[in-house]
Every structure is written in C-alpha cells, then in structure tokens.
C-alpha cells in the first residue's frame, strides 16, 4: 500500500463524462490498496471564462479580486469529483486550498506555496477517504485567497505529494507523456520514457506547458517521484500497465539511458521584446534601464546590447507579454528622463525557440547546427542565450512552427 497523488488537468476534467472516468480511475487505485489524494484543475476553458468576465469589466482588474474569481473553477471541480467518487461507492471528501490549508505568499496571480498542513488530509486518508484538493489555489497569511499562476495545479499536486511524502505524483493529462516537442506542432514528436529533472526544468521554463515550471522545481527540491501520463486511456486498464506508462522524471543521470544530445525543443510565445534605442554606451546603462524594471517586480528574460555607433547603442530585452505595457510605462516614466533614449518600443510578434539536452555538455557544435538550420529556412535570429544544457533564440513569431519543425528534424528527434 502506498500514498499516491493524482493530478488531472482541465481537459481530463472537461465534462461530466470525463469526471466520471477520473472517478473510476481513482477508485481503481484505491481498490488496489493505495491511499489516494486527487488534485484536479478547473474544467477546461473555465479559468479563461472566469478571467474573461473580469476583463470585460476592467482591463486592469485588482489581482486580489482576479484570484477570488479564478479560484472558483477548481472548487467546482473538487465537489463534482467527490460526488462522482461517492456515486461509485468510494468514500471521498473535497477541500479547497484554504481548508487544508495550503499557505502561500501574497503575490496574487502568481503566489508561491510556503507550507501545506497535512494533518486533516492524513486523518481522512486513514479513515479510508479519497481526499480531493483544489489545484491552483491557496491562502495567504491574511486569509486572502491566492492563485499560483496559469497551469498551477501541477504545482499544487507536486507540493501536496511533497508535504505528504507520497510515493509518487502522477500527472494525468491529455497527452501520454512528455514529448521531444509539443506533439500538436510536430506530429512526429516522440514520447520520452524518461527525462532528467534538469532537462524537464529547462523545457518547462522555456515554454513546454506540459508541466508548470514551479511544479518541476518542487519535484526537484523534494525529490518527488513524478510521472506524466494520459488520462484519456480506458480508466479500467490494468493498474500495473498504467503505473509504468508515460514519462518518468528521473533525478540521476542513468548511464544506461540512451542519451540523445538533444532531448527536446521548446517554444514560448508569451514574451514580448522591448528595445531602448539610441542610448549612451557608457558604464551603468544596463542598470539604469533594468533597475527600475526589476523594482517594479517585472521579470526580465533575454537581454542583448548591440555594438555602439557614435557612442550610442540599442538595448533590448524580453518580458512576459502580460507585463509589456507595465514595463513600457516604467521605462517612460522612470528611465527615459534619465537616459534620453531616441526611442522606446515594444513588440509582441516574437517567440523564443530553444533546444534542450544534457548531452550538450559533452558535444560541441550544437549552436552552429541550430543557427545553420534556421538560416537555411531564412529565419533571422534576433537574440540568443545559452546555458550548459540549452540554446534559445528569439525569432519572428510567424516562423515559430517552421523553426520548431526544422530543428526537430535537424536534430534527429523524429520517431
Ligand atoms: P493539463 O490541462 O492537463 O494541465 P496542459 O494543456 O497544461 O494540460 O498540458 C498538456 C499539453 O502540453 C499537451 O496537450 C501539449 O499540447 C502541450 N505540450 C507542450 N510541450 C509538450 C511536450 N514537450 N510534451 C508533451 N506535451 C507538450
Ligand atoms: N485552472 C488553472 C488554469 O487554467 C490551473 C491549471 O489548470 O493548472 O491555469
Ligand atoms: Mg497544465
């Protein structure tokens, strides 16, 4: 007997029929003798619908109220799933984040989990209940409801698994594992049986939305055994078969693993580029531009400074698209009076494409192969950044799919 956490995403919870299937799957695990905690997301489309309502009233809604609204999608899901479980004879009880409680900081719409009280959940498990806990939400020190950012139910599930010291966290989703790239963009993408924690962390941070980045960070910090697998198989398939399906995140580099140099291609359309053109090229300029941006709590990703002409240079960086307007306001109000740039402009028509693989550490020439592939397709590279196990480029958004397909092929990732 083991304690297992299941997480089901929006599509997996997308209809009453699907919720009934989730209940059957969960009941199968419980009947096999396991204690099960389930963390579902809101039904697909629901979080967008809720946030859309707020947006109809105000483009700049108070983040506290947005969390108040967005968190309700998950509350409906846990109740429905508990009823579905009860209706097939399983004892089940649902909880929202504040009831557990799942404590977070107060960063509305992107809160971080600080602690999870496991006492109530443990008692219920010992009394034979399946415990269903809302994904995506928590409560701050002043009893305000918070949410963990889009896709945050993954993080809830892994954090719950860590708090309960669960044997495994199973992330059930609408694909049957982690692929070499998004199978919606490249149908030839191949499922990975295993992926190292480091690679998964890079892929998630670079835009592979199959797992929220913070869930991978949590998994790594607490060494939570985590597997991504399909919720769309027949819920009655043998448990042993299900338990070994999908993609396992591993924490040791396995010598016997057939190690490809590149394990995946990620892309991200959520960033925007800001260019501060015609600024004096002298010490302190990067700080003058980025200091106020950081003080406004805006994350900066890629940065590039061009060679200077006549003592002037252009400075570009990327931020999340949702923060573009805010960043431009900060620059115009707090930076421009000081630096007197020729222009400050924002562009949303960019995307970031990255190749990821721990095999890169021992191989040279990956960057040049990447640049050659893009150049053969006539795709201009606007920015580049590298780490030990990834290379990212910013390109024109309209070439995103072309670039991903070409790179997937060039690095031999097809099945
Ligand atoms: P859920 O609602 O279950 O959380 P998501 O939509 O958040 O599901 O994540 C699953 C989706 O992630 C898949 O449908 C797929 O399109 C996308 N995806 C992006 N990159 C990858 C990848 N490398 N492997 C698998 N899926 C990926
Ligand atoms: N329902 C939330 C979202 O749509 C959280 C999640 O699905 O993980 O972002
Ligand atoms: Mg998700």
């Amino acid at each position: 007997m083991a304690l297992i956490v299941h997480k089901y995403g929006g599509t997996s919870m997308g209809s009453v029929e699907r919720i009934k299937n989730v209940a059957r799957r969960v009941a199968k695990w419980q009947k096999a003798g396991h204690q099960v905690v389930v963390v579902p997301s809101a039904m697909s489309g629901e979080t967008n619908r809720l946030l859309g309502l707020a947006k109809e009233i105000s483009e700049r809604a108070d983040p506290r109220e947005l969390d108040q609204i967005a968190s309700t999608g998950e509350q409906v899901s846990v109740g429905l799933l508990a009823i579905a479980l009860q209706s097939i004879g399983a004892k089940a009880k649902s909880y929202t984040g504040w009831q557990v409680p799942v404590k977070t900081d107060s960063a509305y719409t992107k809160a971080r989990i600080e602690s999870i009280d496991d006492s109530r959940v443990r008692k219920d498990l010992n009394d034979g209940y399946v415990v269903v806990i809302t994904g995506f939400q928590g409560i701050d020190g002043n009893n305000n409801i918070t949410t963990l950012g889009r896709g945050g139910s993954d993080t809830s599930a892994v954090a719950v698994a860590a708090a309960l010291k669960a044997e495994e966290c199973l992330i059930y989703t609408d694909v049957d594992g982690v692929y070499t790239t998004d199978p919606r963009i490249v149908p030839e993408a191949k499922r990975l049986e295993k992926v190292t924690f480091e690679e998964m962390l890079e892929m998630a941070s670079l835009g592979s939305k199959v797992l929220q980045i913070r869930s991978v960070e949590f998994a790594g910090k607490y060494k939570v055994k985590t597997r991504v697998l399909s919720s769309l198989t027949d819920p009655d398939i043998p448990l042993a078969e299900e338990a070994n399906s999908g993609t396992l995140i591993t924490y040791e580099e396995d010598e016997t693993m057939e190690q490809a140099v590149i394990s995946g291609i990620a892309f991200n359309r959520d960033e925007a580029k800001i260019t501060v053109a015609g600024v004096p090229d002298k010490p302190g300029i990067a700080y003058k531009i980025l200091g106020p941006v950081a003080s406004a709590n805006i994350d900066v990703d890629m940065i590039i400074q061009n060679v200077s002409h006549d003592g002037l240079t252009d400075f570009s960086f990327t931020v999340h698209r949702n923060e573009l307007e805010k960043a431009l306001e900060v620059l115009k109000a707090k930076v421009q009076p000081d630096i007197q740039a020729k222009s400050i402009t924002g562009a949303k028509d960019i995307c970031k494409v990255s190749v990821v693989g721990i095999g890169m550490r021992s191989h040279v020439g990956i960057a040049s192969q990447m640049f050659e592939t893009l150049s053969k397709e006539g795709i201009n590279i606007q920015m580049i950044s590298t780490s030990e196990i990834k290379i990212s480029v910013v390109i024109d958004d309209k070439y995103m799919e072309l670039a991903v397909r070409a790179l997937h092929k060039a690095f031999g990732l097809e099945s």
Side-chain angles (χ1 to χ4, degrees), residues 324-335:
L324 175 62
E325 313 305 333
K326 189 171 152 198
L328 289 172
E329 276 170 27
V330 168
L331 289 170
K332 284 176 186 160
K334 303 220 167 109
V335 178

Side-chain angles (χ1 to χ4, degrees), residues 41-42 47 74 136 150-154:
S41 296
T47 310
E74 271 70 11
F136 182 52
R150 300 307 304 268
S153 297
D154 297 329

